[in-house]
Amino acid sequence: MMNQKVMEPWEHYIVGASIMTLGIAGTLINSIILYRNYLKDSNKYPNSLVSNLCLTNLGIIFFAFPLSGLASFKLEWIWGDEWCTYYGCVSLLFGFNIMITTMMLVLDIFLRFYFRNYELYKIRARRLMIAWGWIISIFWSLAPLFGWSRISYEPTYTSCTVDLMHPDKAYITYIISCFICCYLLPIGLMFFVRIKPNKDYQPVSSDIGKNYQVCSLIELLFSNKGKKFIYFKKRIVIIILLFIIEWSPYATIYLWPIFLDPNTIPISLAAAAPVFAKFSVVFTPLIFWNENDPEEEKTNE
């Protein structure tokens, strides 16, 4: 709370307007994607991971955005300590699930593209991925309520998260564990998906599988499935960059108290972190706009 007076009112208003704008845009984008998945493309199986991502985005928009957005316009948290705890837990729950689901979507794309047998059990695999993601998210979001760190106000005093201002042993172990499981692990897996196939895997598509390693570069570039392969590789890079941009500010302020005085956290960084994290409800689902299983009828599964 020491940094509350550092921010000017107009800075709070910008943060509040950004949160509200992202909330409206996120509601429209995620609703449209759900519509496209389940109604417009009803002849194809919707990707349940994409649906889970959209529903998670809508969850944090409806249950968290209004509290922090209105608090920014009021220049301080106006909802009391109990709602602060609620907001912190809900934000952690949906935030962790967005990060984990993004990782699972990348893994799903990789498995579909490189392993033909994945088509036989991908529906079950996606359900297991979703269940595992929610189990992990629930665990990490409820841990502060049971003594593994705690929820308190952020330096801007307009939102709440894990208590940054008291970096005791519980805080340090909690943050390091979350950092490894929910930040480093997704980034590491996405880098693996992007880099590993170049060395050890052949695509299941026949025209790419025959020519990828025997240097038929022209066919790789201009065949339909060759273009899909190149698009797959480029899209992974975009997902990695978005993930780092959206979640690194929060990762930085969480790690800051472990190494430095928490009172020295730059107020601009503290204000930017929740806004950048909320970008994920708009930009990440756009990457998976057309993620229904293409050219695949329901009867084939």
Side-chain angles (χ1 to χ4, degrees):
M1 285 187 269
M2 292 181 62
N3 288 326
Q4 178 190 359
K5 296 181 179 179
V6 176
M7 288 186 67
E8 298 292 335
W10 63 269
E11 293 174 312
H12 281 291
Y13 297 149
I14 290 176
V15 172
S18 299
I19 292 172
M20 293 303 183
T21 302
L22 291 171
I24 294 171
T27 299
L28 293 174
I29 290 170
N30 287 279
S31 298
I32 291 172
I33 293 174
L34 286 173
Y35 166 78
R36 286 167 58 88
N37 277 0
Y38 284 98
L39 296 178
K40 184 177 179 180
D41 294 333
S42 58
N43 63 317
K44 302 174 184 177
Y45 268 118
N47 189 325
S48 55
L49 286 167
V50 175
S51 302
N52 182 68
L53 178 66
C54 292
L55 291 172
T56 303
N57 289 336
L58 291 173
I60 196 170
I61 289 171
F62 293 147
F63 295 110
F65 277 34
L67 297 179
S68 60
L70 291 174
S72 295
F73 286 117
K74 291 292 187 178
L75 311 183
E76 63 179 357
W77 187 260
I78 59 175
W79 310 105
D81 292 342
E82 292 182 356
W83 281 99
C84 177
T85 301
Y86 159 83
Y87 174 87
C89 290
V90 166
S91 297
L92 290 174
L93 172 66
F94 290 119
F96 284 139
N97 197 256
I98 291 170
M99 300 168 77
I100 294 169
T101 303
T102 302
M103 176 185 69
M104 296 299 187
L105 274 163
V106 172
L107 180 61
D108 178 70
I109 296 170
F110 170 74
L111 293 174
R112 278 193 291 132
F113 201 93
Y114 282 94
F115 297 93
R116 190 183 304 276
N117 291 336
Y118 182 66
E119 297 295 322
L120 301 176
Y121 54 85
K122 66 183 178 185
I123 296 178
R124 182 182 300 176
R126 288 169 180 170
R127 291 171 181 168
L128 290 174
M129 291 180 189
I130 292 171
W132 179 244
W134 279 108
I135 290 171
I136 295 174
S137 302
I138 291 171
F139 172 78
W140 290 117
S141 62
L142 292 182
L145 297 182
F146 293 94
W148 197 4
S149 191
R150 68 189 186 96
I151 302 296
S152 187
Y153 300 99
E154 294 188 13
T156 58
Y157 199 49
T158 55
S159 59
C160 302
T161 187
V162 183
D163 189 1
L164 301 165
M165 308 310 293
H166 300 89
D168 54 12
K169 184 177 180 180
Y171 174 88
I172 293 173
T173 56
Y174 176 81
I175 290 301
I176 291 178
S177 300
C178 290
F179 180 74
I180 293 173
C181 295
C182 300
Y183 183 79
L184 287 184
L185 179 61
I187 291 177
L189 185 139
M190 289 187 285
F191 268 110
F192 168 84
V193 168
R194 175 61 181 83
I195 297 171
K196 190 68 171 176
N198 291 335
K199 299 178 180 180
D200 299 323
Y201 291 91
Q202 291 185 359
V204 297
S205 304
S206 58
D207 54 351
I208 299 176
K210 291 182 296 183
N211 299 311
Y212 182 59
Q213 290 187 332
V214 297
C215 299
S216 181
L217 183 59
I218 294 178
E219 186 168 353
L220 178 62
L221 290 174
F222 294 103
S223 68
N224 183 47
K225 291 183 178 179
K227 291 178 181 178
K228 288 182 180 179
F229 174 71
I230 295 171
Y231 172 69
F232 159 75
K233 305 289 280 186
K234 290 181 178 179
R235 186 162 62 154
I236 298 301
V237 173
I238 296 173
I239 295 170
I240 293 172
L241 291 175
L242 274 178
F243 191 94
I244 293 174
I245 292 171
E246 291 165 353
W247 299 106
S248 290
Y250 251 138
T252 302
I253 67 168
Y254 283 143
L255 292 174
W256 192 293
I258 297 177
F259 303 101
L260 299 169
D261 183 353
N263 292 308
T264 63
I265 297 175
I267 193 64
S268 57
L269 178 61
V275 176
F276 273 77
K278 289 174 174 61
F279 279 140
S280 62
V281 305
V282 174
F283 295 108
T284 300
L286 287 176
I287 301 297
F288 305 102
W289 184 269
N290 287 314
E291 199 51 37
N292 275 5
D293 298 327
E295 302 176 4
E296 187 171 336
E297 300 296 329
K298 288 184 178 181
T299 56
N300 291 336
E301 289 196 341

